[in-house]
Amino acid sequence: MSTRAREADAQEYPLWIKDAVAGCVATAPMTLFMLLTQRFLPHGQRYDLPPEIIIQDLARRAHLHWRLSKRQILLATLVSHFGYGTAMGLFYRPVERYMSGPSLAKGGSFGLLVWTASYLGLLPALGLVESAYREPGRRNLMMIAAHLVWGSATGLLASLFANRR
């Protein structure tokens, strides 16, 4: 192995970068979970998922909705959802320090915290989605479970990444 390759292997990334990557990667199983479980909701509750609703609303506000195809809306939805997961991953370590237990449990708790802050606070306050109080119970359960998936995956990945060089 060359000296350059050894130096690259030994490079240590800051924990905040590792946490952001953990949040981003954890968004994949969360998204898959939401898409799969949405099919089991009652027919009247199978409307668009919150990330897509937010992008559609933002496109309407920017007077772009008539210019964007469904495919472009879905691409923007994926990019923004993974971006939000990445951004929330940045908050994992500062919050995790106040929790005890295994990474899976700390991550799941963090996922619930993100759901609560997002769907009962930030997103309704910004007028981007209805408050979870106004959503049907099964739909809320689906979104809570999705955030448990995301948080658990984020916790496991952040722990794994923190212990790797």
Side-chain angles (χ1 to χ4, degrees), residues 4-5 10 17 20 33-35 46 52 82 94 105 119 123 136 162:
R4 189 180 202 141
I17 290 178
F33 178 88
M34 290 186 332
L35 292 170
R46 293 183 192 173
E52 186 174 353
F82 276 82
Y119 289 94
L123 298 175

Side-chain angles (χ1 to χ4, degrees), residues 9 15 17 22 31 36 54 73 76 95 114 120 122 134 140-141 147 157 161-163:
D9 284 347
L15 285 176
I17 290 178
T31 303
L36 292 174
I54 291 168
I73 290 286
V95 172
V114 169
L120 295 177
L122 178 66
R134 301 182 122 196
N140 274 332
L141 286 175
H147 283 78
L157 289 167
F161 294 163
N163 295 322

Side-chain angles (χ1 to χ4, degrees), residues 50-59 64 68-84:
E52 186 174 353
I53 291 169
I54 291 168
I55 292 301
Q56 290 171 343
D57 186 50
L58 290 174
L64 295 173
L68 298 175
S69 68
K70 179 70 172 178
R71 188 176 188 175
Q72 290 170 317
I73 290 286
L74 291 176
L75 179 61
T77 299
L78 275 175
V79 169
S80 68
H81 194 229
F82 276 82
Y84 197 74

